[in-house]
Amino acid sequence: MIATPDDYAWFSYERFPDLAEAYCLTYVRGLTPEQLVTRLGGRPEDFTPMTLDELIKASYSGPGTYGTWDGMFFGAVAIGDWVFIVEPNGGLGADEGIITSLSAGTRLVSHFRDVEGVEYFYWIEDGEIRFCFIADDGYSEEVPDEVAETMQRIDSDYRHLYPSDGPAFLLAERLTGITLTPELLEGSTYLCGAIPEPR
């Protein structure tokens, strides 16, 4: 069965008011949550297990100035051979410097949306950006074979949709083999904490 953007209609402001409007979701193959934290310059022992609700609340009410975290706050969970990162109102997965480094020796896929509707999608292999999509700017001039069929379907049938309305999820599913579901998102326990802001 071929997935469509409608299969991701559950990821809505109505169901996830503090996540769907501004988020970053990132997948990195071959790392554990602890290895990911270490690779990003954090200390796993400073991170705490949380549910999705706890992660969302903590991201908006953590320590630091004006109720925000000092650094980049996220939650990470293992899904098969991948680590999945959830950032409410975060942007770690949209920072090219961070994600190209984080993808060393592996594959990274991320998609991001902010409160102003700016959207990004990245697919990176071992430090090389293979494909990216930036809302209003379009996507990479060359579409790799691995996503060509998916992009043709999106362009022909779902051009009117923003990436966060389904297309970004379809691309992430194509590149990771992971079908994100509300049960997976809400039922996971995330290793949560903050890493220092890159300088």
Side-chain angles (χ1 to χ4, degrees):
M1 185 173 177
I2 299 174
T4 71
D6 291 340
D7 294 323
Y8 289 97
W10 57 266
F11 191 74
S12 64
Y13 180 79
E14 289 72 27
R15 183 163 186 172
F16 299 103
D18 295 318
L19 182 61
E21 185 178 42
Y23 70 88
C24 191
L25 304 177
T26 304
Y27 305 78
V28 186
R29 187 170 57 193
L31 299 179
T32 66
E34 292 80 8
Q35 289 169 331
L36 173 92
V37 169
T38 300
R39 189 176 276 204
L40 288 169
R43 298 176 357 128
E45 59 268 28
D46 295 336
F47 280 57
T48 305
M50 295 184 187
T51 65
L52 180 67
D53 283 343
E54 291 168 337
L55 161 59
I56 292 170
K57 288 175 186 170
S59 70
Y60 287 104
S61 62
T65 309
Y66 305 114
T68 60
W69 289 86
D70 290 327
M72 305 179 86
F73 182 84
F74 63 88
V77 63
I79 301 177
D81 293 334
W82 297 76
V83 61
F84 174 57
I85 306 168
V86 176
E87 295 177 87
N89 197 31
L92 183 155
D95 184 310
E96 287 190 13
I98 292 175
I99 56 180
T100 52
S101 175
L102 184 57
S103 72
T106 191
R107 172 177 289 187
L108 181 148
V109 175
S110 68
H111 52 107
F112 161 92
R113 174 186 170 88
D114 71 12
V115 292
E116 296 177 352
V118 175
E119 303 201 18
Y120 295 86
F121 180 93
Y122 286 98
W123 163 27
I124 304 177
E125 294 279 348
D126 192 16
E128 178 190 350
I129 297 174
R130 291 289 313 280
F131 181 78
C132 67
F133 180 99
I134 301 174
D136 298 328
D137 286 344
Y139 49 82
S140 305
E141 290 183 14
E142 287 191 27
V143 178
D145 291 343
E146 293 91 336
V147 295
E149 182 180 344
T150 303
M151 284 306 303
Q152 286 171 357
R153 288 177 48 225
I154 290 169
D155 280 347
S156 63
D157 299 333
Y158 308 108
R159 182 176 286 276
H160 63 287
L161 295 178
Y162 286 102
S164 61
D165 291 330
F169 290 88
L170 288 185
L171 285 169
E173 181 178 333
R174 172 69 185 86
L175 291 166
T176 65
I178 296 171
T179 301
L180 189 62
T181 65
E183 294 78 18
L184 184 59
L185 188 62
E186 294 176 303
S188 294
T189 299
Y190 300 86
L191 188 64
C192 299
I195 60 162
E197 290 276 1
R199 298 191 183 280

mmCIF file of all heavy atoms in Angstrom, residues 121-161:
data_model
loop_
_atom_site.group_PDB
_atom_site.id
_atom_site.type_symbol
_atom_site.label_atom_id
_atom_site.label_comp_id
_atom_site.label_asym_id
_atom_site.label_seq_id
_atom_site.Cartn_x
_atom_site.Cartn_y
_atom_site.Cartn_z
ATOM 1 N N PHE A 121 13.488 20.585 4.579
ATOM 2 C CA PHE A 121 13.641 19.132 4.571
ATOM 3 C C PHE A 121 15.059 18.828 4.105
ATOM 4 O O PHE A 121 15.528 19.407 3.120
ATOM 5 C CB PHE A 121 12.640 18.470 3.606
ATOM 6 C CG PHE A 121 12.764 16.975 3.570
ATOM 7 C CD1 PHE A 121 11.988 16.180 4.390
ATOM 8 C CD2 PHE A 121 13.682 16.354 2.721
ATOM 9 C CE1 PHE A 121 12.127 14.799 4.379
ATOM 10 C CE2 PHE A 121 13.825 14.977 2.697
ATOM 11 C CZ PHE A 121 13.043 14.201 3.533
ATOM 12 N N TYR A 122 15.747 17.936 4.823
ATOM 13 C CA TYR A 122 17.104 17.558 4.452
ATOM 14 C C TYR A 122 17.272 16.044 4.409
ATOM 15 O O TYR A 122 16.750 15.326 5.270
ATOM 16 C CB TYR A 122 18.122 18.086 5.476
ATOM 17 C CG TYR A 122 18.382 19.563 5.400
ATOM 18 C CD1 TYR A 122 17.727 20.437 6.263
ATOM 19 C CD2 TYR A 122 19.285 20.090 4.482
ATOM 20 C CE1 TYR A 122 17.973 21.807 6.202
ATOM 21 C CE2 TYR A 122 19.531 21.454 4.418
ATOM 22 C CZ TYR A 122 18.873 22.298 5.283
ATOM 23 O OH TYR A 122 19.117 23.649 5.219
ATOM 24 N N TRP A 123 18.020 15.598 3.416
ATOM 25 C CA TRP A 123 18.540 14.236 3.382
ATOM 26 C C TRP A 123 20.047 14.369 3.181
ATOM 27 O O TRP A 123 20.502 14.938 2.182
ATOM 28 C CB TRP A 123 17.902 13.443 2.243
ATOM 29 C CG TRP A 123 18.640 12.180 1.874
ATOM 30 C CD1 TRP A 123 19.448 11.408 2.685
ATOM 31 C CD2 TRP A 123 18.648 11.538 0.603
ATOM 32 N NE1 TRP A 123 19.949 10.332 1.994
ATOM 33 C CE2 TRP A 123 19.467 10.391 0.715
ATOM 34 C CE3 TRP A 123 18.034 11.806 -0.602
ATOM 35 C CZ2 TRP A 123 19.694 9.531 -0.348
ATOM 36 C CZ3 TRP A 123 18.252 10.952 -1.652
ATOM 37 C CH2 TRP A 123 19.063 9.823 -1.532
ATOM 38 N N ILE A 124 20.820 13.865 4.151
ATOM 39 C CA ILE A 124 22.272 13.997 4.122
ATOM 40 C C ILE A 124 22.913 12.620 4.273
ATOM 41 O O ILE A 124 22.494 11.821 5.112
ATOM 42 C CB ILE A 124 22.771 14.926 5.252
ATOM 43 C CG1 ILE A 124 22.069 16.288 5.144
ATOM 44 C CG2 ILE A 124 24.274 15.106 5.193
ATOM 45 C CD1 ILE A 124 22.431 17.252 6.249
ATOM 46 N N GLU A 125 23.913 12.354 3.444
ATOM 47 C CA GLU A 125 24.683 11.107 3.515
ATOM 48 C C GLU A 125 26.139 11.438 3.826
ATOM 49 O O GLU A 125 26.798 12.109 3.024
ATOM 50 C CB GLU A 125 24.619 10.340 2.182
ATOM 51 C CG GLU A 125 23.257 9.816 1.800
ATOM 52 C CD GLU A 125 22.890 8.516 2.487
ATOM 53 O OE1 GLU A 125 23.783 7.883 3.097
ATOM 54 O OE2 GLU A 125 21.709 8.140 2.420
ATOM 55 N N ASP A 126 26.604 11.014 4.975
ATOM 56 C CA ASP A 126 28.018 11.158 5.350
ATOM 57 C C ASP A 126 28.544 12.564 5.058
ATOM 58 O O ASP A 126 29.577 12.744 4.417
ATOM 59 C CB ASP A 126 28.856 10.105 4.618
ATOM 60 C CG ASP A 126 30.280 9.995 5.166
ATOM 61 O OD1 ASP A 126 30.527 10.494 6.280
ATOM 62 O OD2 ASP A 126 31.128 9.418 4.472
ATOM 63 N N GLY A 127 27.819 13.566 5.539
ATOM 64 C CA GLY A 127 28.254 14.949 5.402
ATOM 65 C C GLY A 127 27.896 15.640 4.107
ATOM 66 O O GLY A 127 28.147 16.835 3.944
ATOM 67 N N GLU A 128 27.290 14.910 3.175
ATOM 68 C CA GLU A 128 26.921 15.493 1.873
ATOM 69 C C GLU A 128 25.418 15.632 1.765
ATOM 70 O O GLU A 128 24.680 14.657 1.945
ATOM 71 C CB GLU A 128 27.426 14.607 0.733
ATOM 72 C CG GLU A 128 27.035 15.117 -0.638
ATOM 73 C CD GLU A 128 27.334 14.122 -1.749
ATOM 74 O OE1 GLU A 128 28.022 13.115 -1.486
ATOM 75 O OE2 GLU A 128 26.861 14.362 -2.877
ATOM 76 N N ILE A 129 24.933 16.836 1.476
ATOM 77 C CA ILE A 129 23.501 17.054 1.285
ATOM 78 C C ILE A 129 23.100 16.450 -0.058
ATOM 79 O O ILE A 129 23.535 16.903 -1.110
ATOM 80 C CB ILE A 129 23.152 18.550 1.326
ATOM 81 C CG1 ILE A 129 23.478 19.137 2.706
ATOM 82 C CG2 ILE A 129 21.667 18.759 0.993
ATOM 83 C CD1 ILE A 129 23.293 20.641 2.805
ATOM 84 N N ARG A 130 22.294 15.400 0.011
ATOM 85 C CA ARG A 130 21.843 14.734 -1.213
ATOM 86 C C ARG A 130 20.593 15.382 -1.772
ATOM 87 O O ARG A 130 20.368 15.400 -2.976
ATOM 88 C CB ARG A 130 21.557 13.248 -0.923
ATOM 89 C CG ARG A 130 22.781 12.410 -0.622
ATOM 90 C CD ARG A 130 23.641 12.180 -1.853
ATOM 91 N NE ARG A 130 22.898 11.771 -3.038
ATOM 92 C CZ ARG A 130 22.466 10.521 -3.270
ATOM 93 N NH1 ARG A 130 22.722 9.546 -2.402
ATOM 94 N NH2 ARG A 130 21.798 10.231 -4.361
ATOM 95 N N PHE A 131 19.736 15.877 -0.871
ATOM 96 C CA PHE A 131 18.474 16.466 -1.309
ATOM 97 C C PHE A 131 17.981 17.394 -0.212
ATOM 98 O O PHE A 131 18.085 17.083 0.972
ATOM 99 C CB PHE A 131 17.438 15.366 -1.556
ATOM 100 C CG PHE A 131 16.102 15.877 -2.030
ATOM 101 C CD1 PHE A 131 15.930 16.258 -3.351
ATOM 102 C CD2 PHE A 131 15.022 15.975 -1.167
ATOM 103 C CE1 PHE A 131 14.698 16.731 -3.803
ATOM 104 C CE2 PHE A 131 13.791 16.439 -1.609
ATOM 105 C CZ PHE A 131 13.633 16.820 -2.925
ATOM 106 N N CYS A 132 17.469 18.557 -0.609
ATOM 107 C CA CYS A 132 16.864 19.438 0.389
ATOM 108 C C CYS A 132 15.672 20.156 -0.227
ATOM 109 O O CYS A 132 15.571 20.302 -1.447
ATOM 110 C CB CYS A 132 17.872 20.438 0.947
ATOM 111 S SG CYS A 132 18.452 21.663 -0.225
ATOM 112 N N PHE A 133 14.788 20.544 0.632
ATOM 113 C CA PHE A 133 13.587 21.279 0.230
ATOM 114 C C PHE A 133 13.442 22.449 1.177
ATOM 115 O O PHE A 133 13.506 22.291 2.391
ATOM 116 C CB PHE A 133 12.350 20.391 0.331
ATOM 117 C CG PHE A 133 11.077 21.083 -0.071
ATOM 118 C CD1 PHE A 133 10.555 20.896 -1.333
ATOM 119 C CD2 PHE A 133 10.412 21.931 0.803
ATOM 120 C CE1 PHE A 133 9.383 21.552 -1.720
ATOM 121 C CE2 PHE A 133 9.255 22.596 0.421
ATOM 122 C CZ PHE A 133 8.743 22.397 -0.845
ATOM 123 N N ILE A 134 13.271 23.633 0.624
ATOM 124 C CA ILE A 134 13.030 24.810 1.431
ATOM 125 C C ILE A 134 11.756 25.454 0.910
ATOM 126 O O ILE A 134 11.670 25.800 -0.271
ATOM 127 C CB ILE A 134 14.206 25.802 1.345
ATOM 128 C CG1 ILE A 134 15.497 25.125 1.828
ATOM 129 C CG2 ILE A 134 13.916 27.058 2.166
ATOM 130 C CD1 ILE A 134 16.740 25.951 1.647
ATOM 131 N N ALA A 135 10.755 25.582 1.767
ATOM 132 C CA ALA A 135 9.473 26.140 1.354
ATOM 133 C C ALA A 135 9.689 27.515 0.736
ATOM 134 O O ALA A 135 10.478 28.315 1.230
ATOM 135 C CB ALA A 135 8.528 26.238 2.536
ATOM 136 N N ASP A 136 9.009 27.755 -0.355
ATOM 137 C CA ASP A 136 9.064 28.997 -1.137
ATOM 138 C C ASP A 136 10.300 29.088 -2.027
ATOM 139 O O ASP A 136 10.301 29.827 -2.996
ATOM 140 C CB ASP A 136 8.979 30.246 -0.249
ATOM 141 C CG ASP A 136 7.667 30.325 0.506
ATOM 142 O OD1 ASP A 136 6.655 29.846 -0.038
ATOM 143 O OD2 ASP A 136 7.656 30.863 1.619
ATOM 144 N N ASP A 137 11.371 28.349 -1.687
ATOM 145 C CA ASP A 137 12.562 28.352 -2.538
ATOM 146 C C ASP A 137 12.607 27.125 -3.450
ATOM 147 O O ASP A 137 13.442 27.040 -4.337
ATOM 148 C CB ASP A 137 13.845 28.372 -1.677
ATOM 149 C CG ASP A 137 14.074 29.740 -1.053
ATOM 150 O OD1 ASP A 137 13.447 30.707 -1.514
ATOM 151 O OD2 ASP A 137 14.877 29.813 -0.114
ATOM 152 N N GLY A 138 11.725 26.161 -3.198
ATOM 153 C CA GLY A 138 11.726 24.937 -3.989
ATOM 154 C C GLY A 138 12.711 23.923 -3.452
ATOM 155 O O GLY A 138 13.142 24.008 -2.313
ATOM 156 N N TYR A 139 13.049 22.945 -4.300
ATOM 157 C CA TYR A 139 13.938 21.891 -3.839
ATOM 158 C C TYR A 139 15.175 21.798 -4.713
ATOM 159 O O TYR A 139 15.299 22.501 -5.706
ATOM 160 C CB TYR A 139 13.208 20.548 -3.762
ATOM 161 C CG TYR A 139 12.409 20.167 -4.983
ATOM 162 C CD1 TYR A 139 13.023 19.580 -6.086
ATOM 163 C CD2 TYR A 139 11.038 20.391 -5.027
ATOM 164 C CE1 TYR A 139 12.291 19.230 -7.205
ATOM 165 C CE2 TYR A 139 10.299 20.046 -6.149
ATOM 166 C CZ TYR A 139 10.928 19.468 -7.228
ATOM 167 O OH TYR A 139 10.203 19.118 -8.333
ATOM 168 N N SER A 140 16.075 20.928 -4.293
ATOM 169 C CA SER A 140 17.344 20.765 -4.997
ATOM 170 C C SER A 140 17.109 20.618 -6.492
ATOM 171 O O SER A 140 16.132 20.003 -6.927
ATOM 172 C CB SER A 140 18.057 19.506 -4.490
ATOM 173 O OG SER A 140 18.228 19.537 -3.100
ATOM 174 N N GLU A 141 18.016 21.184 -7.280
ATOM 175 C CA GLU A 141 17.850 21.120 -8.731
ATOM 176 C C GLU A 141 17.832 19.681 -9.222
ATOM 177 O O GLU A 141 17.051 19.325 -10.096
ATOM 178 C CB GLU A 141 18.976 21.895 -9.416
ATOM 179 C CG GLU A 141 18.862 23.398 -9.211
ATOM 180 C CD GLU A 141 19.942 24.161 -9.941
ATOM 181 O OE1 GLU A 141 20.607 23.559 -10.809
ATOM 182 O OE2 GLU A 141 20.113 25.349 -9.656
ATOM 183 N N GLU A 142 18.707 18.845 -8.679
ATOM 184 C CA GLU A 142 18.721 17.439 -9.058
ATOM 185 C C GLU A 142 17.985 16.620 -8.016
ATOM 186 O O GLU A 142 18.251 16.742 -6.832
ATOM 187 C CB GLU A 142 20.163 16.932 -9.173
ATOM 188 C CG GLU A 142 20.879 17.442 -10.397
ATOM 189 C CD GLU A 142 22.198 16.722 -10.619
ATOM 190 O OE1 GLU A 142 22.324 15.557 -10.188
ATOM 191 O OE2 GLU A 142 23.091 17.335 -11.205
ATOM 192 N N VAL A 143 17.049 15.817 -8.477
ATOM 193 C CA VAL A 143 16.305 14.946 -7.572
ATOM 194 C C VAL A 143 16.895 13.548 -7.683
ATOM 195 O O VAL A 143 16.808 12.915 -8.735
ATOM 196 C CB VAL A 143 14.803 14.919 -7.928
ATOM 197 C CG1 VAL A 143 14.054 13.971 -7.007
ATOM 198 C CG2 VAL A 143 14.217 16.335 -7.848
ATOM 199 N N PRO A 144 17.512 13.026 -6.623
ATOM 200 C CA PRO A 144 18.111 11.689 -6.681
ATOM 201 C C PRO A 144 17.074 10.621 -6.999
ATOM 202 O O PRO A 144 15.889 10.758 -6.674
ATOM 203 C CB PRO A 144 18.682 11.499 -5.262
ATOM 204 C CG PRO A 144 18.862 12.886 -4.738
ATOM 205 C CD PRO A 144 17.743 13.685 -5.338
ATOM 206 N N ASP A 145 17.529 9.562 -7.638
ATOM 207 C CA ASP A 145 16.631 8.477 -8.026
ATOM 208 C C ASP A 145 15.840 7.932 -6.847
ATOM 209 O O ASP A 145 14.688 7.534 -6.996
ATOM 210 C CB ASP A 145 17.428 7.327 -8.661
ATOM 211 C CG ASP A 145 18.014 7.706 -10.011
ATOM 212 O OD1 ASP A 145 17.548 8.715 -10.589
ATOM 213 O OD2 ASP A 145 18.938 7.013 -10.474
ATOM 214 N N GLU A 146 16.468 7.909 -5.665
ATOM 215 C CA GLU A 146 15.816 7.316 -4.493
ATOM 216 C C GLU A 146 14.517 8.018 -4.104
ATOM 217 O O GLU A 146 13.649 7.412 -3.480
ATOM 218 C CB GLU A 146 16.773 7.322 -3.291
ATOM 219 C CG GLU A 146 17.969 6.424 -3.447
ATOM 220 C CD GLU A 146 19.161 7.138 -4.068
ATOM 221 O OE1 GLU A 146 18.981 8.148 -4.787
ATOM 222 O OE2 GLU A 146 20.295 6.681 -3.828
ATOM 223 N N VAL A 147 14.394 9.299 -4.436
ATOM 224 C CA VAL A 147 13.179 10.036 -4.066
ATOM 225 C C VAL A 147 12.418 10.563 -5.277
ATOM 226 O O VAL A 147 11.419 11.256 -5.129
ATOM 227 C CB VAL A 147 13.496 11.206 -3.096
ATOM 228 C CG1 VAL A 147 14.018 10.680 -1.775
ATOM 229 C CG2 VAL A 147 14.453 12.200 -3.728
ATOM 230 N N ALA A 148 12.885 10.244 -6.487
ATOM 231 C CA ALA A 148 12.271 10.797 -7.700
ATOM 232 C C ALA A 148 10.794 10.433 -7.814
ATOM 233 O O ALA A 148 9.946 11.296 -8.090
ATOM 234 C CB ALA A 148 13.030 10.318 -8.936
ATOM 235 N N GLU A 149 10.466 9.159 -7.599
ATOM 236 C CA GLU A 149 9.066 8.736 -7.728
ATOM 237 C C GLU A 149 8.189 9.426 -6.682
ATOM 238 O O GLU A 149 7.093 9.897 -6.993
ATOM 239 C CB GLU A 149 8.950 7.217 -7.566
ATOM 240 C CG GLU A 149 7.530 6.703 -7.736
ATOM 241 C CD GLU A 149 7.447 5.187 -7.559
ATOM 242 O OE1 GLU A 149 8.494 4.510 -7.600
ATOM 243 O OE2 GLU A 149 6.331 4.700 -7.370
ATOM 244 N N THR A 150 8.686 9.513 -5.451
ATOM 245 C CA THR A 150 7.920 10.177 -4.390
ATOM 246 C C THR A 150 7.726 11.650 -4.721
ATOM 247 O O THR A 150 6.622 12.194 -4.562
ATOM 248 C CB THR A 150 8.637 10.030 -3.027
ATOM 249 O OG1 THR A 150 8.821 8.644 -2.748
ATOM 250 C CG2 THR A 150 7.823 10.661 -1.910
ATOM 251 N N MET A 151 8.760 12.326 -5.203
ATOM 252 C CA MET A 151 8.636 13.737 -5.557
ATOM 253 C C MET A 151 7.691 13.947 -6.736
ATOM 254 O O MET A 151 6.942 14.919 -6.769
ATOM 255 C CB MET A 151 10.012 14.329 -5.878
ATOM 256 C CG MET A 151 10.874 14.611 -4.661
ATOM 257 S SD MET A 151 10.086 15.665 -3.409
ATOM 258 C CE MET A 151 9.695 17.123 -4.373
ATOM 259 N N GLN A 152 7.690 13.022 -7.701
ATOM 260 C CA GLN A 152 6.761 13.140 -8.832
ATOM 261 C C GLN A 152 5.323 13.057 -8.341
ATOM 262 O O GLN A 152 4.459 13.816 -8.789
ATOM 263 C CB GLN A 152 7.045 12.040 -9.853
ATOM 264 C CG GLN A 152 8.303 12.278 -10.659
ATOM 265 C CD GLN A 152 8.698 11.074 -11.515
ATOM 266 O OE1 GLN A 152 8.049 10.024 -11.469
ATOM 267 N NE2 GLN A 152 9.770 11.228 -12.275
ATOM 268 N N ARG A 153 5.061 12.134 -7.402
ATOM 269 C CA ARG A 153 3.706 12.011 -6.840
ATOM 270 C C ARG A 153 3.316 13.268 -6.096
ATOM 271 O O ARG A 153 2.189 13.764 -6.207
ATOM 272 C CB ARG A 153 3.624 10.801 -5.902
ATOM 273 C CG ARG A 153 3.662 9.463 -6.619
ATOM 274 C CD ARG A 153 3.642 8.305 -5.649
ATOM 275 N NE ARG A 153 2.616 8.455 -4.651
ATOM 276 C CZ ARG A 153 2.796 8.229 -3.361
ATOM 277 N NH1 ARG A 153 3.974 7.862 -2.902
ATOM 278 N NH2 ARG A 153 1.811 8.370 -2.513
ATOM 279 N N ILE A 154 4.257 13.810 -5.310
ATOM 280 C CA ILE A 154 3.970 15.025 -4.554
ATOM 281 C C ILE A 154 3.711 16.190 -5.502
ATOM 282 O O ILE A 154 2.747 16.944 -5.332
ATOM 283 C CB ILE A 154 5.141 15.345 -3.598
ATOM 284 C CG1 ILE A 154 5.189 14.314 -2.458
ATOM 285 C CG2 ILE A 154 5.008 16.753 -3.026
ATOM 286 C CD1 ILE A 154 6.438 14.384 -1.616
ATOM 287 N N ASP A 155 4.552 16.345 -6.518
ATOM 288 C CA ASP A 155 4.397 17.453 -7.461
ATOM 289 C C ASP A 155 3.112 17.362 -8.264
ATOM 290 O O ASP A 155 2.475 18.372 -8.557
ATOM 291 C CB ASP A 155 5.589 17.512 -8.419
ATOM 292 C CG ASP A 155 6.798 18.181 -7.803
ATOM 293 O OD1 ASP A 155 6.642 18.803 -6.737
ATOM 294 O OD2 ASP A 155 7.892 18.089 -8.381
ATOM 295 N N SER A 156 2.714 16.146 -8.645
ATOM 296 C CA SER A 156 1.533 16.016 -9.491
ATOM 297 C C SER A 156 0.228 16.014 -8.700
ATOM 298 O O SER A 156 -0.769 16.571 -9.151
ATOM 299 C CB SER A 156 1.622 14.736 -10.330
ATOM 300 O OG SER A 156 1.629 13.588 -9.498
ATOM 301 N N ASP A 157 0.257 15.419 -7.508
ATOM 302 C CA ASP A 157 -0.995 15.249 -6.774
ATOM 303 C C ASP A 157 -1.153 16.148 -5.553
ATOM 304 O O ASP A 157 -2.280 16.399 -5.121
ATOM 305 C CB ASP A 157 -1.135 13.789 -6.305
ATOM 306 C CG ASP A 157 -1.171 12.811 -7.462
ATOM 307 O OD1 ASP A 157 -1.598 13.217 -8.567
ATOM 308 O OD2 ASP A 157 -0.761 11.658 -7.275
ATOM 309 N N TYR A 158 -0.043 16.629 -4.992
ATOM 310 C CA TYR A 158 -0.134 17.324 -3.701
ATOM 311 C C TYR A 158 0.629 18.644 -3.686
ATOM 312 O O TYR A 158 1.084 19.096 -2.657
ATOM 313 C CB TYR A 158 0.397 16.412 -2.582
ATOM 314 C CG TYR A 158 -0.242 15.051 -2.590
ATOM 315 C CD1 TYR A 158 0.483 13.927 -2.989
ATOM 316 C CD2 TYR A 158 -1.577 14.888 -2.237
ATOM 317 C CE1 TYR A 158 -0.113 12.677 -3.025
ATOM 318 C CE2 TYR A 158 -2.177 13.645 -2.267
ATOM 319 C CZ TYR A 158 -1.446 12.540 -2.658
ATOM 320 O OH TYR A 158 -2.029 11.312 -2.693
ATOM 321 N N ARG A 159 0.755 19.264 -4.861
ATOM 322 C CA ARG A 159 1.528 20.506 -4.969
ATOM 323 C C ARG A 159 0.974 21.595 -4.059
ATOM 324 O O ARG A 159 1.713 22.473 -3.592
ATOM 325 C CB ARG A 159 1.521 20.981 -6.423
ATOM 326 C CG ARG A 159 2.346 22.233 -6.653
ATOM 327 C CD ARG A 159 2.368 22.601 -8.124
ATOM 328 N NE ARG A 159 3.202 21.719 -8.900
ATOM 329 C CZ ARG A 159 4.511 21.852 -9.025
ATOM 330 N NH1 ARG A 159 5.126 22.831 -8.406
ATOM 331 N NH2 ARG A 159 5.197 21.015 -9.764
ATOM 332 N N HIS A 160 -0.324 21.544 -3.773
ATOM 333 C CA HIS A 160 -0.961 22.587 -2.960
ATOM 334 C C HIS A 160 -0.653 22.451 -1.475
ATOM 335 O O HIS A 160 -0.942 23.357 -0.693
ATOM 336 C CB HIS A 160 -2.479 22.529 -3.154
ATOM 337 C CG HIS A 160 -3.099 21.248 -2.683
ATOM 338 N ND1 HIS A 160 -2.949 20.065 -3.385
ATOM 339 C CD2 HIS A 160 -3.829 20.948 -1.574
ATOM 340 C CE1 HIS A 160 -3.582 19.094 -2.741
ATOM 341 N NE2 HIS A 160 -4.110 19.595 -1.644
ATOM 342 N N LEU A 161 -0.052 21.339 -1.070
ATOM 343 C CA LEU A 161 0.201 21.105 0.345
ATOM 344 C C LEU A 161 1.561 21.642 0.777
ATOM 345 O O LEU A 161 2.530 21.579 0.024
ATOM 346 C CB LEU A 161 0.161 19.606 0.654
ATOM 347 C CG LEU A 161 -1.168 18.879 0.485
ATOM 348 C CD1 LEU A 161 -0.977 17.405 0.798
ATOM 349 C CD2 LEU A 161 -2.247 19.476 1.371
#
